[in-house]
Amino acid sequence: MSARVEKALLTNRPPWRNLLGQVTYEEKAAIFRLIGYEPHTGQVPIHESRERIRTVCCGRRFGKSKSAAAEAVVCSVLGGGTWAVAPDYELSSIVFDEAMSYVLNSELASQLAAEPRTARGRQQMIFKSGGWILGKSSHKPRSLLGRGLDLVIYDEAATEDNAEILHQYLRPVLIDRVGHLLNISTPRGDNWFKEVFDKGQLGVRGYASWQMPSHTNPHVSAKELLELVEDLPETYYRQEILAEFLENIGAFFRGYREVSVLTEMREGAPVGSCALGVDLGRHEDYTVVCVLDIATGEGRALL
């Protein structure tokens, strides 16, 4: 191991318990330099924080996956266990692949204990320090049961409607090692992600949060963002670019498949008097037609 790598990996590695709560930003920065990652001004506060629950509400192209992958490398190369989690494997691959690229294209490749595994559902990097990074999907929550962890990264967290993923599966795996959770996502209305974000804004102990619009990233073209102002409906621009929490956008029919009892009307089926409701989609959503049997309250169609 080169002296440069040895210095970056700290002569006295912190113990696993609350590992990321003990690593300083300067120590992280030494590893960042090894992997060629230079955080921009919006990313620096995220890396500086030692709070256990960090939530980043950000616009598109802010650089959330790059910053999360850099955190994963720091944790795992120092001996910590890390999960890169997302609502599906395709999304979880983004952070995992970024972390793998950092490692394989730097001196830290010599710290790998084995060749990385990249097959979907089996993504894994193991380090000589005993640390590891696994790619995980929250689509099947039982797969999130397992050993204690030092860091869980939850990418596109706001797109997960089921708050139990956080409370029943992710938080418990952090208990014994006093691990950390990094939620990163573009907002999606008033859901559990916003609740956790608000705790950081209110200064609740152990929580930190940041609202980072796309233009916080100095590498994003200002001209491109100006064009989006013209092309996107205002509400979508505010959510996707300005990272604002909006109650209504995209929330009218979320999760309807799970709770709906509506059935498609079959030809010849007996039907009494019906009521028909129409929600006209104009610029920002879809037109929805709902037909209900007045006598029974049963849904006959959702179009």
Side-chain angles (χ1 to χ4, degrees):
M1 185 190 308
S2 72
R4 183 165 173 256
V5 173
E6 182 69 42
K7 183 178 180 180
L9 298 187
L10 318 182
T11 302
N12 297 307
R13 293 186 181 128
W16 282 339
R17 186 174 177 81
N18 193 23
L19 188 154
L20 287 179
Q22 301 175 70
V23 179
T24 67
Y25 176 70
E26 289 71 22
E27 291 166 339
K28 286 183 179 180
I31 297 175
F32 292 165
R33 287 191 290 272
L34 282 179
I35 61 177
Y37 167 67
E38 183 177 353
H40 60 66
T41 53
Q43 294 165 322
V44 169
I46 301 166
H47 298 305
E48 287 180 329
S49 174
R50 298 194 195 185
E51 301 294 351
R52 288 189 61 206
I53 312 296
R54 290 173 288 167
T55 301
V56 186
C57 173
C58 53
R60 298 292 180 181
R61 315 318 302 166
F62 163 75
K64 62 181 177 61
S65 298
K66 289 182 177 296
S67 56
E71 286 278 319
V73 171
V74 168
C75 182
S76 55
V77 81
L78 292 179
T82 302
W83 279 356
V85 183
D88 60 55
Y89 280 117
E90 184 173 356
L91 289 173
S92 69
S93 295
I94 296 174
V95 171
F96 181 87
D97 289 347
E98 193 73 52
M100 184 170 63
S101 177
Y102 282 151
V103 172
L104 295 182
N105 292 296
S106 72
E107 292 181 66
L108 292 186
S110 65
Q111 299 307 300
L112 287 171
E115 287 292 320
R117 294 195 320 207
T118 60
R120 182 172 296 187
R122 298 179 62 83
Q123 296 165 315
Q124 176 179 282
M125 279 193 293
I126 299 177
F127 294 83
K128 294 176 181 178
S129 62
W132 72 89
I133 304 175
L134 300 181
K136 306 284 285 186
S137 167
S138 61
H139 178 65
K140 295 182 178 180
R142 286 185 61 84
S143 69
L144 300 176
L145 298 172
R147 51 184 152 177
L149 298 170
D150 299 280
L151 174 64
V152 171
I153 294 165
Y154 202 1
D155 195 8
E156 297 298 352
T159 64
E160 175 56 69
D161 291 323
N162 186 3
E164 288 186 357
I165 298 297
L166 171 69
H167 302 301
Q168 187 173 342
Y169 295 97
L170 299 184
R171 288 297 303 277
V173 298
L174 300 172
I175 293 174
D176 54 340
R177 296 164 75 117
V178 192
H180 288 228
L181 174 65
L182 176 59
N183 298 304
I184 53 174
S185 186
T186 302
R188 286 293 182 273
D190 191 356
N191 57 10
W192 70 265
F193 179 78
K194 185 177 186 299
E195 291 178 7
V196 178
F197 173 86
D198 286 345
K199 288 183 179 181
Q201 296 294 290
L202 293 171
V204 175
R205 182 179 180 183
Y207 289 79
S209 62
W210 302 266
Q211 192 166 28
M212 298 291 187
S214 299
H215 59 257
T216 309
N217 184 349
H219 308 299
V220 171
S221 167
K223 178 176 179 294
E224 187 72 17
L225 292 177
L226 287 174
E227 290 178 356
L228 284 175
V229 174
E230 302 295 330
D231 295 341
L232 288 177
E234 179 185 357
T235 50
Y236 282 91
Y237 181 82
R238 289 171 60 191
Q239 175 179 274
E240 303 296 320
I241 305 303
L242 299 183
E244 294 183 10
F245 288 98
L246 304 178
E247 290 188 5
N248 294 329
I249 182 170
F252 291 108
F253 307 111
R254 293 176 66 191
Y256 75 88
R257 293 186 184 277
E258 289 75 12
V259 299
S260 175
V261 295
L262 300 185
T263 58
E264 295 294 335
M265 185 169 60
R266 292 172 294 179
E267 185 176 353
V271 179
S273 298
C274 291
L276 181 147
V278 180
D279 183 354
L280 295 175
R282 295 180 181 274
H283 303 293
E284 300 170 2
D285 56 12
Y286 299 97
T287 293
V288 174
V289 179
C290 182
V291 182
L292 297 176
D293 188 314
I294 293 177
T296 65
E298 182 182 8
R300 292 296 179 182
L302 179 63
L303 309 171

